[in-house]
Amino acid sequence: MDTFKSKLIQLTLATAFTAATMSSAYAEEDVEQTVIDPVIGQPTIEMHSKDFELTGLLGLANVEHVSTNGLFGVRFAYHLTENIFAEASYSVTGHGNSVTYYDAVMGYQFPGQLFLSQNYRYNTATYLVFGGGKSDFESANDYNGGNYNTVVGGGGYRVMLTDDFNIRFDLRGHVHHQLKHDTDAWAIDIEAAVGLGYYF
């Protein structure tokens, strides 16, 4: 009888121990399954969904040693990545003897966002451009005409109004030899423009 009681007690203890062990294992498994990964990814700001951009622009151009006058033109860009783009520009000044700029630049943009209110948020980009081109000066009495090799640099700010349209603000400098063909002197023409761009 004592042997039976002893075995019964041992069996009861063994069963209780097994149940406790299994309960602990299940609890640990539940904890492992409910652990929340604390790593939070940074949101990706997509500027647009298309690669080509066509922009019409209006602005002012200050031609060194001449005057400041109106400017109009067009830019055509190809966006290689979300940050890098290549762009060709054609613009003409409104001077009595006009100046025509032919530019090709590479640009790098830094995406951001513009918050006007809780309901109005726009993707934006601040960008820098650098490249070269030609400045074609029409002949006049006060300076010599002709084509000048030109270094172009500047920057701008782009606001995405929709996925297809943007408004942009550009400030660029055109560096070339002075108009009197002085090979030791340089001039810089400043261009400030606002443009409406379309992606396709």
Side-chain angles (χ1 to χ4, degrees):
M1 189 68 177
D2 291 338
T3 303
F4 176 75
K5 287 182 179 181
S6 177
K7 288 184 177 180
L8 184 60
I9 291 171
Q10 291 177 1
L11 180 61
T12 302
L13 291 174
T15 302
F17 178 76
T18 302
T21 303
M22 292 178 64
S23 176
S24 175
Y26 285 133
E28 290 179 2
E29 184 177 347
D30 288 341
V31 170
E32 290 177 359
Q33 290 178 351
T34 57
V35 170
I36 299 174
D37 188 357
V39 178
I40 301 174
Q42 293 295 325
T44 300
I45 300 173
E46 183 176 343
M47 283 294 299
H48 52 81
S49 60
K50 304 174 182 70
D51 295 330
F52 294 95
E53 179 188 7
L54 183 64
T55 303
L57 61 95
L58 292 172
L60 295 173
N62 174 258
V63 178
E64 189 166 333
H65 306 302
V66 184
S67 64
T68 299
N69 214 311
L71 173 90
F72 67 92
V74 63
R75 306 196 200 283
F76 180 74
Y78 175 67
H79 292 260
L80 290 79
T81 69
E82 195 66 29
N83 300 101
I84 301 172
F85 62 93
E87 184 178 78
S89 299
Y90 169 84
S91 55
V92 181
T93 72
H95 293 86
N97 297 96
S98 64
V99 183
T100 304
Y101 299 110
Y102 305 89
D103 303 328
V105 299
M106 292 296 296
Y108 189 90
Q109 63 186 11
F110 305 89
Q113 289 189 326
L114 174 65
F115 296 88
L116 297 181
S117 70
Q118 290 182 342
N119 299 324
Y120 294 96
R121 181 184 67 182
Y122 299 95
N123 288 338
T124 66
T126 303
Y127 53 90
L128 300 173
V129 296
F130 185 78
K134 289 280 188 181
S135 296
D136 186 4
F137 290 83
E138 187 178 351
S139 295
N141 293 330
D142 55 345
Y143 61 90
N144 297 322
N147 290 316
Y148 293 81
N149 291 326
T150 306
V151 176
V152 182
Y157 185 69
R158 179 187 289 112
V159 180
M160 298 299 302
L161 302 176
T162 68
D163 189 54
D164 295 326
F165 290 95
N166 71 74
I167 186 169
R168 53 187 288 183
F169 307 91
D170 287 278
L171 183 64
R172 301 189 182 187
H174 302 260
V175 181
H176 53 78
H177 283 298
Q178 283 197 4
L179 304 180
K180 295 297 183 182
H181 298 292
D182 185 346
T183 57
D184 295 324
W186 294 83
I188 179 169
D189 302 340
I190 303 298
E191 169 191 325
V194 58
L196 180 65
Y198 174 69
Y199 286 100
F200 60 97

